């Protein structure tokens, strides 16, 4: 088994920091301005891995903290779902009783707003780590100054009780290493890092990583001088850099308005608020001649760009999909239809709704791939766009014709079909969409009678869901993606 890391924290006594808020009593005729409202616990953080192995007969106390720090009552209540396997007392001391699995939960003594849990795996014996090997070639064990490298490793045996390793840099002036095994180059040279098992035997092994000098950037520019983002979108800009193998991790990023567009150390833009910001990338090598490039970024009202590469904003509506999976590595939603009477269907809903601005983006489109021939053979297939909440007349798009069935047009895009609605041409229920910023609480795309005639199996994949400024812009993208 190949591991990245699972953080394990050792046993320690619980320490609660803070003071209890004092309460001032008053009668109906006198109200003290100093009297504070009771502040309830909003979160309980357990300083432990999601699964904690324990040997039969052993016990431990977990470190934890509560938020906010000024909670009026920081008391908590502990509970075991299987006390015959692992018990827990009022102080949070967990005792391993019998081999098996138990869920330990902790909740506020006052409020019960949140519950945190940890899975306790009680074992009869501990399987110790006897060796550690990096699952990487010699060429992969190289990193540039300022760049990061995620180590991959295997343990022998492959299924130890405590698979977590403690990482330490023996040459921090050359490279640092995080608790998750991420090495960051500091300066050119040979770095040494040490991995130590967190079980009782603490097997230790050292590894070397070559830190290569920075390759300086000579020229720098953005491929796009300006672009528009959707609210909440994560965007990775394209850069023109010479030489082509220059060390990009040396770039420093800055946004003129981080409240509109935030940018992280890796150059990922996050659209936070409608507006405009200028993002600048700078390479400064201390020679007095920094190299920089800037890009104008607009977070536009009504723009949707759900491409499923970094995040997913859609959910399985009413459990209609038998299977609903966001495959982040492929950048798709993978859906398996659920049965409904004598046919199958999918229904997906945008989490939290969407703020449309039809004046800017009147087209809403869904790019969908069916198993081979299913769309063509399922002649009775129905599809709808249903929108309600926030609209004076919510309901089906194109409801005045065939109750909205097949109101969305369909275009071919290679192996995909693109379903789209044009809000300048058809109504939502009985009214046209307003031509200003309009929040719609529920946006649901649904397809019914799938495989009504077709005898097929397989998933239906959604590649993207976007709004467009015009039909021409939609068709232009389809033509590009067909190539």
């Amino acid at each position: 088994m190949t591991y990245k890391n699972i953080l394990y924290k050792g046993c320690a006594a619980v320490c609660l920091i803070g003071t209890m808020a004092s309460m001032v009593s008053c009668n109906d005729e006198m109200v003290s301005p100093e009297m504070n409202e009771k502040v309830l616990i909003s979160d309980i953080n357990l300083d432990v891995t999601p699964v904690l192995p324990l040997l039969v007969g052993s016990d431990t106390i977990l470190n934890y903290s509560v938020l906010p720090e000024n909670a009026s009552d920081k008391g908590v209540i502990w509970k075991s779902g299987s006390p015959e396997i692992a018990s827990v007392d009022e102080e949070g001391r967990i005792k391993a009783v019998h081999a098996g699995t138990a869920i330990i939960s902790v909740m506020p003594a006052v409020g019960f707003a949140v519950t945190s849990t940890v899975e306790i795996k009680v074992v009869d014996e501990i399987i110790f780590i006897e060796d550690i090997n990096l699952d990487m070639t010699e060429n992969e064990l190289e990193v540039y100054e300022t760049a990061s490298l995620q180590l991959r490793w295997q343990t022998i045996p492959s299924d130890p009780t405590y698979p977590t390793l403690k990482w330490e840099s023996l040459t921090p002036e050359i490279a640092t290493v995080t608790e998750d095994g991420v090495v960051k180059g500091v300066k050119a040279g040979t770095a040494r890092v040490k991995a130590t098992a967190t079980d009782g035997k603490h097997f230790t092994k050292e590894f070397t990583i070559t830190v290569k000098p920075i390759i300086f950037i000579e020229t720098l520019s953005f491929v796009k001088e300006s672009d528009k983002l959707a609210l909440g979108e994560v965007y990775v800009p394209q850069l023109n850099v010479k030489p082509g193998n220059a060390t990009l991790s040396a770039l420093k990023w800055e946004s003129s308005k981080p409240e509109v567009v935030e940018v992280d150390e890796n150059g990922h833009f996050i659209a936070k608020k409608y507006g405009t910001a200028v993002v600048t990338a700078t390479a400064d090598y201390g020679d007095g001649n920094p190299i920089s490039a800037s890009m104008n970024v607009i977070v536009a009202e009504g723009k949707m760009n759900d491409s499923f590469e970094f995040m997913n904003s859609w959910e399985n509506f009413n459990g209609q999909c038998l299977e609903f999976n966001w495959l982040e590595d492929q950048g798709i939603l993978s859906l398996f239809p659920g049965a409904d009477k004598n046919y199958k269907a999918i229904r997906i809903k945008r989490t939290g709704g969407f703020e449309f601005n039809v004046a800017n983006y009147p087209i809403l489109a869904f790019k969908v791939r069916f198993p081979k021939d299913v769309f063509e053979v399922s002649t009775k297939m129905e599809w709808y766009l249903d929108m309600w909440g926030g609209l004076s007349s919510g309901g089906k798009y194109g409801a005045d014709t065939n109750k909205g069935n097949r109101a969305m047009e369909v275009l071919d895009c290679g192996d995909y079909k693109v379903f789209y609605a044009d809000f300048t041409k058809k109504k939502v229920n009985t009214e046209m969409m307003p031509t200003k910023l309009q929040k719609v609480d529920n946006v649901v795309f649904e397809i019914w009678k799938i495989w009504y005639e077709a005898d097929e199996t397989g998933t239906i994949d959604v590649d993207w869901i976007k709004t467009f400024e015009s039909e021409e812009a939609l068709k232009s993208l389809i033509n590009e993606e067909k190539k």
Side-chain angles (χ1 to χ4, degrees):
M1 181 180 293
T2 298
Y3 296 100
K4 283 191 176 178
N5 219 339
I6 305 173
L7 180 62
Y8 170 71
K9 300 291 185 183
C11 308
V14 175
C15 179
L16 294 180
I17 302 174
T19 57
M20 300 297 290
S22 61
M23 301 300 294
V24 180
S25 61
C26 58
N27 57 32
D28 292 339
E29 297 178 353
M30 181 176 67
V31 179
S32 170
E34 297 181 357
M35 181 176 182
N36 297 323
E37 293 185 7
K38 183 173 292 186
V39 179
L40 300 178
I41 292 175
S42 62
D43 196 12
I44 303 174
N45 297 313
L46 297 176
D47 192 12
V48 67
T49 55
V51 179
L52 174 62
L54 288 178
L55 186 65
V56 170
S58 65
D59 60 57
T60 186
I61 294 180
L62 301 181
N63 282 334
Y64 74 94
S65 60
V66 301
L67 292 175
E69 293 183 357
N70 65 335
S72 302
D73 187 338
K74 294 186 177 181
V76 296
I77 298 173
W78 296 88
K79 181 179 180 181
S80 173
S82 304
E84 72 280 6
I85 293 175
S87 62
V88 61
D89 65 19
E90 61 184 11
E91 300 298 325
R93 181 179 296 277
I94 300 170
K95 184 175 182 180
V97 179
H98 188 274
T101 299
I103 303 298
I104 301 295
S105 60
V106 58
M107 63 185 68
V110 176
F112 301 96
V114 292
T115 299
S116 295
T117 62
V118 58
E119 180 180 328
I120 305 298
K121 183 180 179 181
V122 180
V123 296
D124 291 318
E125 64 174 340
I126 294 177
I127 301 173
F128 294 98
I129 291 176
E130 299 174 3
D131 197 5
I132 304 166
N133 296 308
L134 290 183
D135 188 23
M136 304 171 73
T137 66
E138 186 174 343
N139 289 338
E140 289 177 312
L141 291 174
E142 296 180 347
V143 63
Y144 285 101
E145 292 175 332
T146 72
S148 297
L149 173 68
Q150 171 69 67
L151 298 179
R152 304 186 307 273
W153 61 88
Q154 295 178 332
T155 63
I156 297 177
S158 61
D159 57 346
T161 303
Y162 296 100
T164 300
L165 303 180
K166 178 183 178 182
W167 289 94
E168 178 186 0
S169 174
L170 303 177
T171 53
E173 72 282 2
I174 297 174
T176 61
V177 64
T178 69
E179 60 187 12
D180 299 315
V182 178
V183 175
K184 184 170 185 177
V186 176
K187 74 174 185 178
T190 300
R192 293 164 47 231
V193 297
K194 181 174 70 173
T196 303
T198 55
D199 54 32
K201 290 187 176 180
H202 303 296
F203 176 86
T204 298
K205 194 168 184 178
E206 293 183 15
F207 305 95
T208 60
I209 292 97
T210 300
V211 179
K212 301 166 69 174
I214 287 177
I215 298 177
F216 286 6
I217 295 172
E218 297 174 3
T219 63
L220 173 67
S221 64
F222 285 92
V223 172
K224 292 184 177 180
E225 294 182 356
S226 177
D227 207 352
K228 295 178 180 179
L229 305 187
L231 187 64
E233 181 179 353
V234 178
Y235 176 87
V236 180
Q238 292 180 299
L239 296 170
N240 292 318
V241 178
K242 289 184 180 180
N245 62 343
T247 308
L248 297 182
S249 57
L251 289 172
K252 303 298 181 184
W253 296 85
E254 183 180 7
S255 171
S256 65
K257 294 183 179 179
E259 72 276 12
V260 174
V261 178
E262 184 180 291
V263 58
D264 66 17
E265 63 180 7
N266 298 312
H268 293 175
F269 301 0
I270 303 97
K272 310 285 286 187
K273 178 183 176 182
Y274 296 129
T276 301
V278 176
V279 175
T280 302
T282 302
D284 190 347
Y285 303 112
D287 57 1
N289 297 301
I291 298 170
S292 65
S294 296
M295 178 178 177
N296 194 59
V297 183
I298 301 170
V299 182
E301 292 184 359
K303 184 174 178 63
M304 182 190 297
N305 191 22
D306 295 344
S307 58
F308 308 110
E309 293 176 322
F310 298 101
M311 59 186 296
N312 170 37
S313 300
W314 293 78
E315 61 189 70
N316 187 2
F317 184 52
N318 283 349
Q320 190 67 59
C321 302
L322 184 64
E323 296 179 12
F324 180 98
N325 296 299
W326 172 37
L327 305 182
E328 184 177 3
D329 57 335
Q330 299 179 41
I332 61 171
L333 281 185
S334 180
L335 315 174
F336 193 88
D340 187 278
K341 297 181 180 178
N342 60 340
Y343 50 85
K344 295 180 180 291
I346 61 168
R347 301 173 82 191
I348 59 174
K349 174 186 174 183
R350 197 172 199 276
T351 304
F354 184 67
E355 292 184 337
F356 288 90
N357 190 328
V358 171
N360 296 340
Y361 294 91
I363 307 293
L364 173 62
F366 299 75
K367 184 182 177 185
V368 182
R369 179 174 61 195
F370 295 87
K372 186 179 179 181
D373 298 331
V374 166
F375 184 82
E376 289 75 17
V377 176
S378 298
T379 58
K380 295 184 181 180
M381 185 184 294
E382 300 178 359
W383 56 86
Y384 302 87
L385 177 62
D386 203 358
M387 300 164 55
W388 71 95
L391 295 172
S392 58
S393 175
K396 299 285 196 306
Y397 167 77
D400 53 349
T401 304
N402 199 20
K403 298 181 179 180
N405 178 26
R406 300 199 175 197
M408 301 178 76
E409 302 289 338
V410 182
L411 298 172
D412 287 322
C413 184
D415 294 333
Y416 287 79
K417 302 292 181 183
V418 176
F419 298 78
Y420 74 96
D422 185 341
F423 296 114
T424 66
K425 294 181 178 179
K426 295 182 181 180
K427 300 175 181 178
V428 175
N429 196 10
T430 60
E431 296 183 6
M432 299 297 289
M433 282 281 286
T435 55
K436 60 181 181 180
L437 189 65
Q438 175 65 57
K439 171 68 179 297
V440 180
D441 299 327
N442 302 280
V443 181
V444 177
F445 177 62
E446 50 195 73
I447 305 177
W448 300 85
K449 300 186 180 180
I450 306 169
W451 305 320
Y452 193 75
E453 298 96 346
D455 184 18
E456 294 285 344
T457 58
T459 60
I460 293 174
D461 300 329
V462 182
D463 188 57
W464 51 248
I465 304 171
K466 302 173 183 279
T467 55
F468 293 86
E469 295 174 334
S470 64
E471 281 188 80
E472 290 72 21
L474 168 61
K475 292 175 181 178
S476 176
L477 177 62
I478 290 174
N479 289 333
E480 287 181 18
E481 296 188 348
K482 281 182 178 180
K483 296 177 182 178

